[in-house]
Amino acid sequence: LHLLSRRQRQMCIRDRFNGNADQYAAAIAQLNAFTDLNDALLYIQENYQWDPDSEGVRLLVDLLERKLG
């Protein structure tokens, strides 16, 4: 998930992690460790209360699908 542009990364940190870059980095590290798309999506669902229709979440899911799908 290192394919995020600087703007996209800043948007995710702001919108998904309330501006906390350390939480973002930890989440990305965890998501990068997955080898199965369903496991990664389940991790997101179980650990975050994100709106699945938000731009930031759609972006992360798209990147996960490209990496693991």
Side-chain angles (χ1 to χ4, degrees):
L1 297 182
H2 299 291
L3 300 174
L4 292 172
S5 71
R6 183 179 181 142
R7 182 190 66 79
Q8 291 169 325
R9 191 169 40 255
Q10 289 174 337
M11 177 191 62
C12 282
I13 291 169
R14 183 189 67 234
D15 295 346
R16 302 295 103 204
F17 297 95
N18 297 316
N20 188 317
D22 291 335
Q23 286 180 355
Y24 166 82
I28 295 300
Q30 181 65 42
L31 291 171
N32 276 327
F34 284 104
T35 58
D36 181 82
L37 177 60
N38 290 328
D39 290 342
L41 296 176
L42 184 61
Y43 172 81
I44 291 172
Q45 184 180 22
E46 290 179 347
N47 290 279
Y48 301 100
Q49 300 298 317
W50 292 341
D51 175 2
D53 295 321
S54 72
E55 181 180 355
V57 174
R58 287 193 321 264
L59 175 65
L60 287 174
V61 169
D62 180 56
L63 290 173
L64 286 168
E65 287 173 342
R66 284 193 262 161
K67 179 182 178 201
L68 303 172

